[in-house]
Amino acid sequence: MDRTVIAYVIYLVVSIGLTVWVARTLSRNGRVFLADVLHGNEKLADAVNHLLVVGFYLVNLGFVALYLRDDDTVTDTRGVFESLSTKLGVVLLVLGVMHLANVYVLNRIRRRGVMEREQNPPVPPQGWTVPAAQA
C-alpha cells in the first residue's frame, strides 16, 4: 500500500476518534451547564445539547474530510509523520476553537440570564391604582 494512503487512513482514524471523544465530552459535561443556562429546563437543555453536538460533528467532520487531500506525495516514513503532525495539529486547533466558541456563546447566554434573574425593581410594588378616567 502507498505511504500516502497509509497517512490518509491514520489521519482519518485519529481525527474521527478525536472528534467523537471531544463531542462526547462536551455533550456529557455541557448538559449541566445548559441546564443552568436554561433555568433548569432539562428537556430543553437536552434538545439544545443534542443540536450543538450534531452541529459540532458536521463542522468538524466536514473540515476533516476537506483537509484530507495533500498536494505532496509521502515517500518515506518521515514524510508520513510530518504529514500527520501537520494535519492532526490543525484538526486539534479547529476542535479547540470550536469548543471555545461554544463555551463563549453559552457563557454570554448564561450571564444574561443571571443578570435578568438578579434584577429587582427600584421600588418594591406598594399596590395598584385605578387608571384615571379619560376625558
Side-chain angles (χ1 to χ4, degrees), residues 36-53:
D36 181 51
V37 168
L38 300 171
H39 312 296
N41 189 343
E42 298 285 331
K43 195 170 183 177
L44 182 60
D46 287 339
V48 170
N49 193 22
H50 185 73
L51 290 172
L52 286 172
V53 168

Side-chain angles (χ1 to χ4, degrees), residues 20-43:
V20 169
W21 176 73
V22 171
R24 285 185 177 178
T25 302
L26 293 174
S27 174
R28 184 175 51 251
N29 297 319
R31 186 181 179 284
V32 176
F33 185 76
L34 280 171
D36 181 51
V37 168
L38 300 171
H39 312 296
N41 189 343
E42 298 285 331
K43 195 170 183 177

Side-chain angles (χ1 to χ4, degrees), residues 2-4 8 70-76 79-80 83:
D2 185 17
R3 285 193 171 100
T4 304
Y8 286 166
D70 196 0
D71 293 334
D72 300 329
T73 302
V74 178
T75 57
D76 56 359
V80 169
S83 176

Side-chain angles (χ1 to χ4, degrees), residues 76-97:
D76 56 359
T77 307
R78 178 181 172 186
V80 169
F81 282 103
E82 288 174 353
S83 176
L84 283 174
S85 68
T86 301
K87 287 185 173 296
L88 292 175
V90 172
V91 167
L92 287 171
L93 287 173
V94 169
L95 286 170
V97 168

